[in-house]
Amino acid sequence: MAALPSQGGIKMNDDMVRISNVSKSYGQQRALDQVTIPVKKGQICGLVGENGAGKTTLLRILCGLSIPSEGEIEVSKNLKIGSLIEAPALYQNLSAYDNLKYLGLQLGLDHLNSRVDEVLDIIGLATVSKKKKSKNFSLGMRQRLAIGMAILDQPDFLILDEPINGLDPSGIKEVRKLLLELKEKQGMTVLISSHLLSELEQIADYFVMMSKGRVLE
């Protein structure tokens, strides 16, 4: 999670983030090639492409985990970002409550107990026993907990990399419902990547199609 300063003095209008001509190279390999994407405030953007399309590279750059070789990323002032990139970082021997509580202590959040209870309710884990360790959760429950950790600090912008990958139909439905509630009830802007267009069609307001590091449409 990170707060990014505004870069440049442009008026963002309805764009929370504006990605302009971003490229990323690793030696001779070009992982991203002149990618331009607007991320519209209060909407869910579906980033779609096959494995190796450059989706994760782009999301890592947006989270500050990687630096672009070229291009510019302009963001709304004091934008707060929550993210889930690759595998969720859960403490397997802690409950959902204790995972959230531990993270909140690290972040120094105020009113932590009430915020943890609120997040557990949002992600649908409020009725799970506080004695049940996360290693005994279903994959869908673990994924919802990981999203809960990403939203604990009440971000404006949520970045999710393949959050439905490997889930069974029930788990996919739970995550899909959660993301729609985050947009509609919490007012979050969401950028979500997947290679499953059929699943994103049910939640995304608009799509960006990527292949081999480039935006196709």
Side-chain angles (χ1 to χ4, degrees), residues 159-196:
I159 298 173
L160 302 173
D161 186 22
E162 302 271 7
I164 57 178
N165 191 29
L167 297 183
D168 60 22
S170 176
I172 291 174
K173 183 177 180 180
E174 290 170 350
V175 171
R176 191 167 60 217
K177 178 182 176 184
L178 171 59
L179 296 181
L180 287 172
E181 289 181 352
L182 290 177
K183 182 190 82 164
E184 295 166 1
K185 296 182 180 180
Q186 306 296 320
M188 286 187 194
T189 301
V190 181
L191 177 59
I192 174 175
S193 76
S194 179
H195 59 276
L196 299 173

mmCIF file of all heavy atoms in Angstrom, residues 159-196:
data_model
loop_
_atom_site.group_PDB
_atom_site.id
_atom_site.type_symbol
_atom_site.label_atom_id
_atom_site.label_comp_id
_atom_site.label_asym_id
_atom_site.label_seq_id
_atom_site.Cartn_x
_atom_site.Cartn_y
_atom_site.Cartn_z
ATOM 1 N N ILE A 159 -5.623 -2.361 -6.719
ATOM 2 C CA ILE A 159 -4.986 -3.058 -7.843
ATOM 3 C C ILE A 159 -4.926 -4.542 -7.523
ATOM 4 O O ILE A 159 -4.361 -4.941 -6.498
ATOM 5 C CB ILE A 159 -3.564 -2.517 -8.086
ATOM 6 C CG1 ILE A 159 -3.621 -1.036 -8.468
ATOM 7 C CG2 ILE A 159 -2.854 -3.322 -9.165
ATOM 8 C CD1 ILE A 159 -2.258 -0.377 -8.561
ATOM 9 N N LEU A 160 -5.503 -5.370 -8.398
ATOM 10 C CA LEU A 160 -5.574 -6.807 -8.156
ATOM 11 C C LEU A 160 -5.049 -7.565 -9.368
ATOM 12 O O LEU A 160 -5.525 -7.376 -10.491
ATOM 13 C CB LEU A 160 -7.019 -7.231 -7.885
ATOM 14 C CG LEU A 160 -7.718 -6.551 -6.703
ATOM 15 C CD1 LEU A 160 -9.192 -6.938 -6.680
ATOM 16 C CD2 LEU A 160 -7.049 -6.936 -5.395
ATOM 17 N N ASP A 161 -4.084 -8.437 -9.126
ATOM 18 C CA ASP A 161 -3.478 -9.229 -10.189
ATOM 19 C C ASP A 161 -4.020 -10.655 -10.145
ATOM 20 O O ASP A 161 -3.696 -11.417 -9.233
ATOM 21 C CB ASP A 161 -1.954 -9.228 -10.024
ATOM 22 C CG ASP A 161 -1.245 -9.914 -11.177
ATOM 23 O OD1 ASP A 161 -1.840 -10.015 -12.263
ATOM 24 O OD2 ASP A 161 -0.095 -10.359 -10.988
ATOM 25 N N GLU A 162 -4.863 -11.005 -11.108
ATOM 26 C CA GLU A 162 -5.427 -12.360 -11.235
ATOM 27 C C GLU A 162 -6.060 -12.866 -9.925
ATOM 28 O O GLU A 162 -5.757 -13.964 -9.455
ATOM 29 C CB GLU A 162 -4.328 -13.346 -11.676
ATOM 30 C CG GLU A 162 -3.656 -12.996 -12.991
ATOM 31 C CD GLU A 162 -4.355 -13.596 -14.196
ATOM 32 O OE1 GLU A 162 -5.438 -14.184 -14.026
ATOM 33 O OE2 GLU A 162 -3.817 -13.473 -15.312
ATOM 34 N N PRO A 163 -6.965 -12.111 -9.292
ATOM 35 C CA PRO A 163 -7.508 -12.529 -8.000
ATOM 36 C C PRO A 163 -8.446 -13.730 -8.072
ATOM 37 O O PRO A 163 -8.744 -14.333 -7.045
ATOM 38 C CB PRO A 163 -8.273 -11.285 -7.524
ATOM 39 C CG PRO A 163 -8.685 -10.604 -8.777
ATOM 40 C CD PRO A 163 -7.534 -10.820 -9.732
ATOM 41 N N ILE A 164 -8.915 -14.073 -9.278
ATOM 42 C CA ILE A 164 -9.821 -15.220 -9.396
ATOM 43 C C ILE A 164 -9.121 -16.437 -9.983
ATOM 44 O O ILE A 164 -9.755 -17.475 -10.190
ATOM 45 C CB ILE A 164 -11.058 -14.864 -10.244
ATOM 46 C CG1 ILE A 164 -10.652 -14.358 -11.632
ATOM 47 C CG2 ILE A 164 -11.912 -13.830 -9.530
ATOM 48 C CD1 ILE A 164 -11.841 -14.039 -12.538
ATOM 49 N N ASN A 165 -7.819 -16.336 -10.216
ATOM 50 C CA ASN A 165 -7.076 -17.444 -10.807
ATOM 51 C C ASN A 165 -7.060 -18.652 -9.860
ATOM 52 O O ASN A 165 -6.678 -18.550 -8.702
ATOM 53 C CB ASN A 165 -5.639 -17.008 -11.111
ATOM 54 C CG ASN A 165 -4.893 -18.012 -11.958
ATOM 55 O OD1 ASN A 165 -5.492 -18.737 -12.750
ATOM 56 N ND2 ASN A 165 -3.589 -18.077 -11.792
ATOM 57 N N GLY A 166 -7.493 -19.787 -10.338
ATOM 58 C CA GLY A 166 -7.466 -21.011 -9.542
ATOM 59 C C GLY A 166 -8.665 -21.237 -8.653
ATOM 60 O O GLY A 166 -8.768 -22.282 -8.015
ATOM 61 N N LEU A 167 -9.585 -20.272 -8.603
ATOM 62 C CA LEU A 167 -10.757 -20.422 -7.743
ATOM 63 C C LEU A 167 -11.813 -21.303 -8.418
ATOM 64 O O LEU A 167 -11.940 -21.320 -9.644
ATOM 65 C CB LEU A 167 -11.373 -19.056 -7.435
ATOM 66 C CG LEU A 167 -10.521 -18.061 -6.654
ATOM 67 C CD1 LEU A 167 -11.332 -16.796 -6.376
ATOM 68 C CD2 LEU A 167 -10.014 -18.655 -5.360
ATOM 69 N N ASP A 168 -12.589 -22.011 -7.591
ATOM 70 C CA ASP A 168 -13.709 -22.768 -8.118
ATOM 71 C C ASP A 168 -14.868 -21.796 -8.387
ATOM 72 O O ASP A 168 -14.800 -20.621 -8.015
ATOM 73 C CB ASP A 168 -14.118 -23.890 -7.165
ATOM 74 C CG ASP A 168 -14.551 -23.397 -5.786
ATOM 75 O OD1 ASP A 168 -14.935 -22.205 -5.662
ATOM 76 O OD2 ASP A 168 -14.505 -24.182 -4.831
ATOM 77 N N PRO A 169 -15.937 -22.248 -9.063
ATOM 78 C CA PRO A 169 -17.034 -21.325 -9.390
ATOM 79 C C PRO A 169 -17.604 -20.590 -8.183
ATOM 80 O O PRO A 169 -17.953 -19.407 -8.275
ATOM 81 C CB PRO A 169 -18.079 -22.256 -10.024
ATOM 82 C CG PRO A 169 -17.265 -23.352 -10.640
ATOM 83 C CD PRO A 169 -16.115 -23.570 -9.684
ATOM 84 N N SER A 170 -17.690 -21.262 -7.033
ATOM 85 C CA SER A 170 -18.206 -20.612 -5.832
ATOM 86 C C SER A 170 -17.273 -19.506 -5.368
ATOM 87 O O SER A 170 -17.717 -18.405 -5.006
ATOM 88 C CB SER A 170 -18.384 -21.645 -4.719
ATOM 89 O OG SER A 170 -18.800 -21.028 -3.517
ATOM 90 N N GLY A 171 -15.965 -19.778 -5.385
ATOM 91 C CA GLY A 171 -14.986 -18.766 -4.978
ATOM 92 C C GLY A 171 -14.973 -17.581 -5.918
ATOM 93 O O GLY A 171 -14.855 -16.422 -5.482
ATOM 94 N N ILE A 172 -15.101 -17.842 -7.214
ATOM 95 C CA ILE A 172 -15.142 -16.758 -8.197
ATOM 96 C C ILE A 172 -16.355 -15.870 -7.947
ATOM 97 O O ILE A 172 -16.263 -14.638 -7.973
ATOM 98 C CB ILE A 172 -15.180 -17.330 -9.627
ATOM 99 C CG1 ILE A 172 -13.836 -17.994 -9.961
ATOM 100 C CG2 ILE A 172 -15.498 -16.233 -10.648
ATOM 101 C CD1 ILE A 172 -13.821 -18.719 -11.289
ATOM 102 N N LYS A 173 -17.490 -16.488 -7.673
ATOM 103 C CA LYS A 173 -18.719 -15.724 -7.416
ATOM 104 C C LYS A 173 -18.553 -14.844 -6.181
ATOM 105 O O LYS A 173 -18.989 -13.686 -6.172
ATOM 106 C CB LYS A 173 -19.887 -16.687 -7.229
ATOM 107 C CG LYS A 173 -21.232 -16.008 -7.032
ATOM 108 C CD LYS A 173 -22.357 -17.028 -6.922
ATOM 109 C CE LYS A 173 -23.708 -16.353 -6.714
ATOM 110 N NZ LYS A 173 -24.801 -17.357 -6.597
ATOM 111 N N GLU A 174 -17.909 -15.367 -5.124
ATOM 112 C CA GLU A 174 -17.711 -14.594 -3.897
ATOM 113 C C GLU A 174 -16.817 -13.385 -4.145
ATOM 114 O O GLU A 174 -17.103 -12.280 -3.675
ATOM 115 C CB GLU A 174 -17.087 -15.498 -2.830
ATOM 116 C CG GLU A 174 -18.028 -16.567 -2.301
ATOM 117 C CD GLU A 174 -17.319 -17.585 -1.436
ATOM 118 O OE1 GLU A 174 -16.066 -17.561 -1.399
ATOM 119 O OE2 GLU A 174 -17.987 -18.406 -0.793
ATOM 120 N N VAL A 175 -15.720 -13.588 -4.866
ATOM 121 C CA VAL A 175 -14.801 -12.482 -5.143
ATOM 122 C C VAL A 175 -15.470 -11.460 -6.054
ATOM 123 O O VAL A 175 -15.323 -10.242 -5.866
ATOM 124 C CB VAL A 175 -13.494 -13.000 -5.765
ATOM 125 C CG1 VAL A 175 -12.624 -11.844 -6.254
ATOM 126 C CG2 VAL A 175 -12.711 -13.836 -4.745
ATOM 127 N N ARG A 176 -16.222 -11.940 -7.034
ATOM 128 C CA ARG A 176 -16.932 -11.046 -7.952
ATOM 129 C C ARG A 176 -17.907 -10.155 -7.181
ATOM 130 O O ARG A 176 -17.960 -8.931 -7.387
ATOM 131 C CB ARG A 176 -17.664 -11.891 -8.983
ATOM 132 C CG ARG A 176 -18.220 -11.101 -10.161
ATOM 133 C CD ARG A 176 -18.634 -12.050 -11.271
ATOM 134 N NE ARG A 176 -19.665 -12.974 -10.831
ATOM 135 C CZ ARG A 176 -19.732 -14.255 -11.206
ATOM 136 N NH1 ARG A 176 -18.817 -14.768 -11.979
ATOM 137 N NH2 ARG A 176 -20.726 -15.009 -10.791
ATOM 138 N N LYS A 177 -18.666 -10.744 -6.262
ATOM 139 C CA LYS A 177 -19.613 -9.982 -5.445
ATOM 140 C C LYS A 177 -18.885 -8.954 -4.582
ATOM 141 O O LYS A 177 -19.324 -7.802 -4.453
ATOM 142 C CB LYS A 177 -20.408 -10.935 -4.558
ATOM 143 C CG LYS A 177 -21.401 -10.246 -3.631
ATOM 144 C CD LYS A 177 -22.110 -11.258 -2.737
ATOM 145 C CE LYS A 177 -23.037 -10.555 -1.748
ATOM 146 N NZ LYS A 177 -23.670 -11.528 -0.813
ATOM 147 N N LEU A 178 -17.760 -9.352 -4.011
ATOM 148 C CA LEU A 178 -16.987 -8.449 -3.159
ATOM 149 C C LEU A 178 -16.498 -7.238 -3.937
ATOM 150 O O LEU A 178 -16.598 -6.099 -3.468
ATOM 151 C CB LEU A 178 -15.803 -9.213 -2.556
ATOM 152 C CG LEU A 178 -14.751 -8.383 -1.810
ATOM 153 C CD1 LEU A 178 -15.380 -7.616 -0.655
ATOM 154 C CD2 LEU A 178 -13.627 -9.289 -1.306
ATOM 155 N N LEU A 179 -15.984 -7.459 -5.140
ATOM 156 C CA LEU A 179 -15.437 -6.348 -5.924
ATOM 157 C C LEU A 179 -16.533 -5.366 -6.329
ATOM 158 O O LEU A 179 -16.322 -4.145 -6.312
ATOM 159 C CB LEU A 179 -14.717 -6.887 -7.157
ATOM 160 C CG LEU A 179 -13.480 -7.744 -6.872
ATOM 161 C CD1 LEU A 179 -12.836 -8.198 -8.170
ATOM 162 C CD2 LEU A 179 -12.485 -6.985 -6.014
ATOM 163 N N LEU A 180 -17.708 -5.874 -6.666
ATOM 164 C CA LEU A 180 -18.811 -4.979 -7.003
ATOM 165 C C LEU A 180 -19.232 -4.153 -5.793
ATOM 166 O O LEU A 180 -19.534 -2.957 -5.909
ATOM 167 C CB LEU A 180 -19.996 -5.789 -7.529
ATOM 168 C CG LEU A 180 -19.832 -6.366 -8.940
ATOM 169 C CD1 LEU A 180 -20.979 -7.309 -9.276
ATOM 170 C CD2 LEU A 180 -19.747 -5.247 -9.978
ATOM 171 N N GLU A 181 -19.219 -4.758 -4.608
ATOM 172 C CA GLU A 181 -19.572 -4.025 -3.391
ATOM 173 C C GLU A 181 -18.523 -2.970 -3.059
ATOM 174 O O GLU A 181 -18.853 -1.872 -2.588
ATOM 175 C CB GLU A 181 -19.740 -4.994 -2.229
ATOM 176 C CG GLU A 181 -21.000 -5.850 -2.337
ATOM 177 C CD GLU A 181 -21.174 -6.797 -1.161
ATOM 178 O OE1 GLU A 181 -20.248 -6.895 -0.340
ATOM 179 O OE2 GLU A 181 -22.243 -7.431 -1.064
ATOM 180 N N LEU A 182 -17.254 -3.281 -3.304
ATOM 181 C CA LEU A 182 -16.201 -2.296 -3.049
ATOM 182 C C LEU A 182 -16.383 -1.068 -3.938
ATOM 183 O O LEU A 182 -16.154 0.059 -3.507
ATOM 184 C CB LEU A 182 -14.822 -2.919 -3.279
ATOM 185 C CG LEU A 182 -14.376 -3.962 -2.262
ATOM 186 C CD1 LEU A 182 -13.032 -4.556 -2.654
ATOM 187 C CD2 LEU A 182 -14.289 -3.368 -0.857
ATOM 188 N N LYS A 183 -16.800 -1.287 -5.165
ATOM 189 C CA LYS A 183 -17.046 -0.162 -6.063
ATOM 190 C C LYS A 183 -18.300 0.600 -5.666
ATOM 191 O O LYS A 183 -18.277 1.835 -5.533
ATOM 192 C CB LYS A 183 -17.172 -0.654 -7.513
ATOM 193 C CG LYS A 183 -17.375 0.490 -8.509
ATOM 194 C CD LYS A 183 -17.742 -0.001 -9.893
ATOM 195 C CE LYS A 183 -19.221 -0.323 -10.005
ATOM 196 N NZ LYS A 183 -19.667 -0.433 -11.422
ATOM 197 N N GLU A 184 -19.381 -0.125 -5.455
ATOM 198 C CA GLU A 184 -20.680 0.520 -5.268
ATOM 199 C C GLU A 184 -20.892 1.079 -3.862
ATOM 200 O O GLU A 184 -21.496 2.146 -3.698
ATOM 201 C CB GLU A 184 -21.789 -0.470 -5.607
ATOM 202 C CG GLU A 184 -21.786 -0.862 -7.094
ATOM 203 C CD GLU A 184 -22.641 -2.078 -7.401
ATOM 204 O OE1 GLU A 184 -23.260 -2.618 -6.449
ATOM 205 O OE2 GLU A 184 -22.675 -2.505 -8.562
ATOM 206 N N LYS A 185 -20.387 0.368 -2.837
ATOM 207 C CA LYS A 185 -20.629 0.802 -1.461
ATOM 208 C C LYS A 185 -19.440 1.535 -0.840
ATOM 209 O O LYS A 185 -19.632 2.398 0.022
ATOM 210 C CB LYS A 185 -20.988 -0.405 -0.596
ATOM 211 C CG LYS A 185 -22.290 -1.080 -1.004
ATOM 212 C CD LYS A 185 -22.631 -2.247 -0.090
ATOM 213 C CE LYS A 185 -23.937 -2.911 -0.496
ATOM 214 N NZ LYS A 185 -24.287 -4.057 0.409
ATOM 215 N N GLN A 186 -18.220 1.185 -1.270
ATOM 216 C CA GLN A 186 -17.032 1.821 -0.702
ATOM 217 C C GLN A 186 -16.451 2.888 -1.619
ATOM 218 O O GLN A 186 -15.541 3.608 -1.230
ATOM 219 C CB GLN A 186 -15.953 0.758 -0.409
ATOM 220 C CG GLN A 186 -16.424 -0.394 0.466
ATOM 221 C CD GLN A 186 -16.827 0.047 1.861
ATOM 222 O OE1 GLN A 186 -16.172 0.898 2.463
ATOM 223 N NE2 GLN A 186 -17.905 -0.536 2.380
ATOM 224 N N GLY A 187 -16.962 2.963 -2.840
ATOM 225 C CA GLY A 187 -16.511 3.998 -3.772
ATOM 226 C C GLY A 187 -15.106 3.803 -4.298
ATOM 227 O O GLY A 187 -14.464 4.776 -4.724
ATOM 228 N N MET A 188 -14.605 2.575 -4.293
ATOM 229 C CA MET A 188 -13.238 2.324 -4.732
ATOM 230 C C MET A 188 -13.148 2.219 -6.254
ATOM 231 O O MET A 188 -14.064 1.733 -6.915
ATOM 232 C CB MET A 188 -12.690 1.033 -4.119
ATOM 233 C CG MET A 188 -12.348 1.143 -2.661
ATOM 234 S SD MET A 188 -11.513 -0.342 -2.060
ATOM 235 C CE MET A 188 -11.657 -0.040 -0.286
ATOM 236 N N THR A 189 -12.033 2.680 -6.758
ATOM 237 C CA THR A 189 -11.665 2.453 -8.152
ATOM 238 C C THR A 189 -10.820 1.185 -8.188
ATOM 239 O O THR A 189 -9.914 1.019 -7.371
ATOM 240 C CB THR A 189 -10.862 3.643 -8.695
ATOM 241 O OG1 THR A 189 -11.652 4.826 -8.585
ATOM 242 C CG2 THR A 189 -10.450 3.421 -10.138
ATOM 243 N N VAL A 190 -11.115 0.281 -9.130
ATOM 244 C CA VAL A 190 -10.447 -1.023 -9.150
ATOM 245 C C VAL A 190 -9.830 -1.276 -10.520
ATOM 246 O O VAL A 190 -10.489 -1.084 -11.555
ATOM 247 C CB VAL A 190 -11.429 -2.166 -8.819
ATOM 248 C CG1 VAL A 190 -10.704 -3.509 -8.814
ATOM 249 C CG2 VAL A 190 -12.101 -1.915 -7.467
ATOM 250 N N LEU A 191 -8.575 -1.711 -10.524
ATOM 251 C CA LEU A 191 -7.915 -2.199 -11.730
ATOM 252 C C LEU A 191 -7.611 -3.666 -11.492
ATOM 253 O O LEU A 191 -6.870 -4.015 -10.575
ATOM 254 C CB LEU A 191 -6.626 -1.423 -12.003
ATOM 255 C CG LEU A 191 -5.790 -1.887 -13.210
ATOM 256 C CD1 LEU A 191 -6.598 -1.797 -14.498
ATOM 257 C CD2 LEU A 191 -4.510 -1.060 -13.326
ATOM 258 N N ILE A 192 -8.226 -4.539 -12.291
ATOM 259 C CA ILE A 192 -8.116 -5.973 -12.074
ATOM 260 C C ILE A 192 -7.650 -6.650 -13.350
ATOM 261 O O ILE A 192 -8.181 -6.400 -14.433
ATOM 262 C CB ILE A 192 -9.469 -6.556 -11.595
ATOM 263 C CG1 ILE A 192 -9.418 -8.084 -11.507
ATOM 264 C CG2 ILE A 192 -10.617 -6.113 -12.474
ATOM 265 C CD1 ILE A 192 -10.673 -8.700 -10.926
ATOM 266 N N SER A 193 -6.637 -7.508 -13.232
ATOM 267 C CA SER A 193 -6.134 -8.228 -14.397
ATOM 268 C C SER A 193 -6.630 -9.662 -14.381
ATOM 269 O O SER A 193 -6.867 -10.246 -13.322
ATOM 270 C CB SER A 193 -4.602 -8.216 -14.418
ATOM 271 O OG SER A 193 -4.076 -9.129 -13.465
ATOM 272 N N SER A 194 -6.778 -10.219 -15.562
ATOM 273 C CA SER A 194 -7.167 -11.623 -15.693
ATOM 274 C C SER A 194 -6.961 -12.056 -17.133
ATOM 275 O O SER A 194 -6.922 -11.220 -18.047
ATOM 276 C CB SER A 194 -8.632 -11.828 -15.297
ATOM 277 O OG SER A 194 -9.001 -13.189 -15.450
ATOM 278 N N HIS A 195 -6.813 -13.363 -17.336
ATOM 279 C CA HIS A 195 -6.828 -13.889 -18.707
ATOM 280 C C HIS A 195 -8.208 -14.431 -19.044
ATOM 281 O O HIS A 195 -8.430 -14.959 -20.133
ATOM 282 C CB HIS A 195 -5.761 -14.979 -18.875
ATOM 283 C CG HIS A 195 -5.926 -16.144 -17.946
ATOM 284 N ND1 HIS A 195 -5.445 -16.139 -16.658
ATOM 285 C CD2 HIS A 195 -6.518 -17.345 -18.117
ATOM 286 C CE1 HIS A 195 -5.732 -17.294 -16.068
ATOM 287 N NE2 HIS A 195 -6.385 -18.037 -16.939
ATOM 288 N N LEU A 196 -9.166 -14.302 -18.097
ATOM 289 C CA LEU A 196 -10.523 -14.807 -18.288
ATOM 290 C C LEU A 196 -11.479 -13.647 -18.581
ATOM 291 O O LEU A 196 -12.069 -13.059 -17.681
ATOM 292 C CB LEU A 196 -10.995 -15.566 -17.041
ATOM 293 C CG LEU A 196 -10.176 -16.802 -16.654
ATOM 294 C CD1 LEU A 196 -10.659 -17.351 -15.315
ATOM 295 C CD2 LEU A 196 -10.265 -17.866 -17.740
#
